[in-house]
Amino acid sequence: MTIQTDTVHTPAVVATERGPLEFPLGAPTAEAAARAYDILDRENAYRAYLNGYPAVSEWMLRKGLVEAGIHDGDVLITRRLLDSRSLFLTANADTVYFMTYLDLTDGPVMMRTPEDVLTVVDDMWWRWVTDVGIPGPDRGAGGLYLFVGPDYDGPLPEGGCFVRRSRTHRVSVLGRAFLEDDDPAPAVERITSTLAFGRWQPGGFGFSIGAFLEGEGPLGALQPLASPRFVEGSGLVVDTIPPSDASYFDLLNEAVQAEPASALDPELAGPIAAIGIVHGSAFAPDDRMRELLAEAVARADAVTRAVAFRPRESEGFEYYPGTGLHWSNPLFAGGYSFQVPPPRIGPDGLVPFPDHGAKLTTARSSFLYLATGITPAMCMNLPDVGSQYILATVDAAGDALDGGAHYTLSLPAGIPAEKFWSITLYDNRTRSMLVSDQLYPRAGSQAYPTPAAVPGPDGTTVLHLSPERPDGVEPGNWVQTVPGEGFFAILRFYSPARAFFDRSWEPSDITRV
């Protein structure tokens, strides 16, 4: 049988962004092959940026703490809350923070947690390990948690604590606690007097003598838990923001080398390995590869910013679809897994949504670019538990928010937050709290650290976002913006009420005056 070669679609010249690739006689010239490899390496670098962002974000957070003298096992605590001097991705000035990293390399670590905290534990690839506190298995009563690293294969407690495994040698512990009567001191006291850590010895607490006699493991000593070194985080100047130049890949290499090769899913690891970042091997890109890496990270960062700040309607980020409002949340499109939306909760229990069967990569990129920490509790349809957020990156006309303009935001009566609500402004470039003459760029129902917002006679709370406080506006109803700086806003609901989830309560858009 003779094949007609004119029906085989293998063009002799292919137009690309790197110039034409020539294939005389069907095979590439040496120059065409070199250009093709440039395209391949750049595409792998682009995917490596996206796939590696969780690890780089976690690594930068830990690196920022270490450079500030806060090492693994030390605990940063914000006795006077966080303010705009610290660069943390979309942190708030509403709650007491405490955070640390635990090193599981030498064996499991036990943690005693305080009552009434909201805490998430993630691994170093930003995967959820467990919730602790109000949304966790202790349900806010406090308790003991045992964190086990990937290499440990010894006996574990039979009970008495919650055992959680991590695929990485380190885990991040990011906790928050609420103010009491607008005072952070009781929460700080509860945290500092209760939080404790200790290395768990095989056969220790939770392992019975009977299990020892049955040959299930050694009978270890009971190791006391110790209070950590607490470091004040209020006013701490620290930078935890991932870079947007080629040094990004040096940090990704550090993160990859610090954890076992099994820490990352092979499919995600493929592009990372293809650009030369492999666990146990040196990362030494030549000048050509460095140039391609710089080009790729610039392009990937630009695309990610576009997705984060101007998501398409088809992405499903809109929180009030069909209303014309511009509030969004990328998590509700595919849940914390970026694959299955959070289930609705009806009178008969959970009503699950179908699995998309594919990762919503734009939702993942958007969320990773803007946030710190991941947990199912961040996007659940369950009233009165935890906190929920919606994001505004544009005004009512769809234009970017301009720090030189004057905007208003109307929150109708019945704001659906049983504990309290707040709005915080963030710098578009750092995704951290906006730096202005106001140390705390927020407004809300709490009277600390800024005056409480005052509702009008009809119960509507009107907020003003502008460089100067307008005449007649209460101090608590104004958040300062900065001319020449773009910003976005996050509206938070603590212990959100049902009206938030069923969308029966709606804020206005941020509207230019």
Side-chain angles (χ1 to χ4, degrees), residues 208-502:
S208 67
I209 291 176
F212 164 67
L213 295 175
E214 291 291 325
E216 296 178 13
L219 191 62
L222 298 181
Q223 298 294 322
L225 302 183
S227 178
R229 182 174 78 100
F230 287 96
V231 179
E232 181 56 61
S234 300
L236 182 69
V237 179
V238 58
D239 184 1
T240 68
I241 309 303
S244 55
D245 58 22
S247 67
Y248 174 95
F249 292 104
D250 296 308
L251 289 170
L252 178 56
N253 180 61
E254 291 179 20
V256 167
Q257 302 305 328
E259 299 295 343
S262 59
L264 185 56
D265 298 326
E267 187 69 23
L268 293 178
I272 297 172
I275 64 170
I277 298 177
V278 178
H279 180 78
S281 300
F283 177 51
D286 57 20
D287 290 344
R288 166 192 160 276
M289 193 64 184
R290 276 282 177 193
E291 183 179 344
L292 290 174
L293 292 175
E295 183 181 348
V297 75
R299 186 166 62 111
D301 180 76
V303 171
T304 302
R305 278 190 286 165
V307 169
F309 291 116
R310 287 189 179 274
R312 297 174 296 192
E313 183 179 351
S314 59
E315 306 299 340
F317 295 178
E318 293 179 350
Y319 194 71
Y320 301 99
T323 65
L325 292 171
H326 292 86
W327 296 97
S328 66
N329 185 325
L331 280 183
F332 280 90
Y336 85 102
S337 67
F338 305 106
Q339 186 167 323
V340 184
R344 295 201 182 280
I345 300 172
D348 299 322
L350 298 181
V351 182
F353 285 93
D355 189 329
H356 287 294
K359 293 292 184 184
L360 302 183
T361 55
T362 51
R364 182 175 64 188
S365 297
S366 175
F367 184 77
L368 295 178
Y369 190 73
L370 296 172
T372 301
I374 190 73
T375 161
M378 297 181 85
C379 61
M380 57 185 177
N381 293 303
L382 183 63
D384 305 325
V385 178
S387 54
Q388 296 296 319
Y389 320 138
I390 51 177
L391 170 81
T393 58
V394 296
D395 66 13
D399 297 324
L401 297 171
D402 180 356
H406 176 194
Y407 300 92
T408 60
L409 168 63
S410 295
L411 306 178
I415 299 173
E418 296 299 327
K419 283 191 177 292
F420 63 96
W421 63 269
S422 74
I423 188 168
T424 305
L425 304 189
Y426 297 94
D427 186 295
N428 284 343
R429 294 174 298 177
T430 66
R431 291 95 74 202
S432 302
M433 282 189 271
L434 185 66
V435 177
S436 70
D437 292 335
Q438 285 181 330
L439 198 56
Y440 303 97
R442 50 88 65 191
S445 55
Q446 292 189 148
Y448 183 89
T450 60
V454 179
D458 67 349
T460 299
T461 302
V462 179
L463 303 177
H464 294 258
L465 317 178
S466 59
E468 303 292 337
R469 179 158 62 101
D471 293 341
V473 171
E474 296 285 346
N477 291 54
W478 171 62
V479 186
Q480 187 175 37
T481 60
V482 181
E485 298 290 344
F487 69 93
F488 64 97
I490 294 181
L491 184 57
R492 289 180 167 90
F493 307 85
Y494 292 89
S495 293
R498 187 168 300 280
F500 171 78
F501 297 103
D502 65 18

Side-chain angles (χ1 to χ4, degrees), residues 5-26:
T5 57
D6 58 355
T7 66
V8 179
H9 298 288
T10 52
V13 179
V14 177
T16 74
E17 69 274 20
R18 290 285 175 180
L21 305 186
E22 297 182 354
F23 293 79
L25 304 178

Side-chain angles (χ1 to χ4, degrees), residues 64-284:
L65 296 183
V66 169
E67 289 177 352
I70 306 169
H71 299 278
D72 295 348
D74 295 338
V75 177
L76 177 144
I77 188 166
T78 59
R79 290 178 173 86
R80 301 183 308 279
L81 309 189
L82 275 177
D83 60 50
S84 58
R85 287 171 289 191
S86 300
L87 295 182
F88 287 100
L89 292 174
T90 54
N92 68 64
D94 305 325
T95 59
V96 175
Y97 273 103
F98 61 98
M99 64 183 76
T100 187
Y101 285 85
L102 301 179
D103 190 342
L104 313 178
T105 305
D106 296 329
V109 172
M110 185 165 283
M111 177 179 78
R112 182 175 67 229
T113 184
E115 296 180 358
D116 297 326
V117 294
L118 289 170
T119 304
V120 59
V121 180
D122 290 332
D123 74 8
M124 295 304 289
W125 278 89
W126 225 31
R127 289 174 297 230
W128 179 61
V129 174
T130 190
D131 287 315
V132 173
I134 295 169
D138 69 278
R139 301 293 292 278
L144 295 172
Y145 288 76
L146 186 69
F147 300 109
V148 184
D151 297 335
Y152 182 80
D153 60 358
L156 291 169
E158 302 164 55
C161 62
F162 306 104
V163 179
R164 296 293 185 268
R165 284 192 174 271
S166 167
R167 290 175 61 182
T168 60
H169 291 308
R170 288 185 179 88
V171 294
S172 67
V173 180
L174 177 61
R176 294 169 295 153
F178 296 143
L179 280 59
E180 297 181 19
D181 297 323
D182 296 323
D183 184 2
V188 170
E189 169 60 26
R190 195 168 63 250
I191 294 164
T192 55
S193 64
T194 305
L195 187 65
F197 305 102
R199 186 73 61 186
W200 188 80
Q201 298 296 326
F205 176 84
F207 192 82
S208 67
I209 291 176
F212 164 67
L213 295 175
E214 291 291 325
E216 296 178 13
L219 191 62
L222 298 181
Q223 298 294 322
L225 302 183
S227 178
R229 182 174 78 100
F230 287 96
V231 179
E232 181 56 61
S234 300
L236 182 69
V237 179
V238 58
D239 184 1
T240 68
I241 309 303
S244 55
D245 58 22
S247 67
Y248 174 95
F249 292 104
D250 296 308
L251 289 170
L252 178 56
N253 180 61
E254 291 179 20
V256 167
Q257 302 305 328
E259 299 295 343
S262 59
L264 185 56
D265 298 326
E267 187 69 23
L268 293 178
I272 297 172
I275 64 170
I277 298 177
V278 178
H279 180 78
S281 300
F283 177 51

Side-chain angles (χ1 to χ4, degrees), residues 14-72:
V14 177
T16 74
E17 69 274 20
R18 290 285 175 180
L21 305 186
E22 297 182 354
F23 293 79
L25 304 178
T29 63
E31 181 181 7
R35 288 181 179 176
Y37 280 115
D38 282 349
I39 294 171
L40 177 62
D41 288 340
R42 189 176 67 166
E43 290 304 312
N44 279 325
Y46 178 89
R47 293 173 60 200
Y49 172 95
L50 299 179
N51 292 356
Y53 207 92
V56 173
S57 187
E58 277 287 7
W59 193 249
M60 269 301 296
L61 180 54
R62 177 181 176 271
K63 196 178 184 76
L65 296 183
V66 169
E67 289 177 352
I70 306 169
H71 299 278
D72 295 348

